[in-house]
């Protein structure tokens, strides 16, 4: 990478690139709709995220080029004495920069952001069909302490 990596809140102008990053993946290619024009559902989700102070859609940039994305959600819980948690979702880096430390820097940025928001815990999930992603997160200090369950409503 020619410039220092920068992190910022995504803007609506970034949306097409973000959806492209999410779709450029074995699993994402089956569930995302990266087409022109983008389905309205992405714009509606972006608008909802942008209006919610406990949701942040963050992009990693090399100069003006968006090369990574994640969403971080801050949630208050009654458990853990009413503590806050940060949940990281939708982590992707551009294929052209994978293996160059962008993902690690993006996750570490999110961890620092969670500390700024006084969260006691950062959590994330990864699909069991992504064993390399699990190894990646474990190398960053995450521990697979729980079994996650999901119920599809579609």
């Amino acid at each position: 990478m020619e410039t220092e990596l920068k992190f910022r809140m995504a803007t609506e102008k970034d949306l097409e690139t973000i959806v492209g990053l999410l779709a450029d993946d074995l699993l994402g290619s089956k569930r995302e709709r990266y087409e022109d024009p983008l389905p309205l559902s992405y714009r509606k989700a972006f608008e909802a995220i942008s209006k919610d102070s406990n949701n942040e859609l963050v992009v990693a940039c090399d100069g003006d080029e968006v090369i990574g994305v994640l969403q971080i959600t801050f949630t208050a819980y009654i458990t853990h004495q009413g503590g806050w948690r940060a949940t990281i979702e939708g982590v992707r880096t551009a294929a052209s920069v994978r293996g160059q430390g962008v993902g690690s820097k993006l996750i570490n940025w999110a961890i620092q952001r969670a500390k700024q928001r006084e969260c006691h815990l950062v959590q994330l999930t990864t699909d069991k069909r992504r064993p390399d992603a699990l190894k990646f997160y474990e190398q960053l200090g995450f521990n697979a302490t729980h079994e996650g369950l999901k119920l599809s409503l579609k």
Side-chain angles (χ1 to χ4, degrees), residues 39-88:
L40 185 58
S41 57
Y42 290 111
R43 298 207 185 285
K44 287 181 177 180
F46 179 84
E47 185 177 314
I49 292 165
S50 297
K51 290 179 178 179
D52 183 348
S53 64
N54 290 317
N55 261 297
E56 297 177 355
L57 188 60
V58 178
V59 291
C61 298
D62 181 12
D64 291 333
E65 181 184 6
V66 172
I67 58 171
V69 64
L70 65 72
Q71 182 174 342
I72 185 167
T73 302
F74 305 99
T75 309
Y77 282 79
I78 294 299
T79 61
H80 293 270
Q81 301 174 37
W84 282 78
R85 295 180 190 191
T87 303
I88 299 172

Side-chain angles (χ1 to χ4, degrees), residues 13 26 71-72 90 99 116 131 150:
K13 288 182 359 183
L26 181 64
Q71 182 174 342
I72 185 167
Q116 290 172 351
K150 293 186 179 188

Side-chain angles (χ1 to χ4, degrees), residues 8 10-11 13-15 17-18 21 58-69 92-94 96-97:
R8 63 172 172 76
T11 66
K13 288 182 359 183
D14 300 319
L15 194 54
T17 301
I18 291 168
L21 290 171
V58 178
V59 291
C61 298
D62 181 12
D64 291 333
E65 181 184 6
V66 172
I67 58 171
V69 64
R92 297 290 191 288
T93 58
S96 62
V97 298

Side-chain angles (χ1 to χ4, degrees), residues 5 40 67-68 113-114 131 133 143 147:
L5 199 59
L40 185 58
I67 58 171
R113 182 70 181 116
N143 296 304
E147 277 292 322

Side-chain angles (χ1 to χ4, degrees), residues 8-38:
R8 63 172 172 76
M9 296 304 137
T11 66
E12 192 168 352
K13 288 182 359 183
D14 300 319
L15 194 54
E16 185 176 328
T17 301
I18 291 168
V19 175
L21 290 171
L22 294 172
D24 185 23
D25 168 272
L26 181 64
L27 301 176
S29 66
K30 294 178 174 117
R31 62 180 173 226
E32 302 304 337
R33 287 182 48 205
Y34 182 54
E35 53 196 50
D36 187 17
L38 287 178

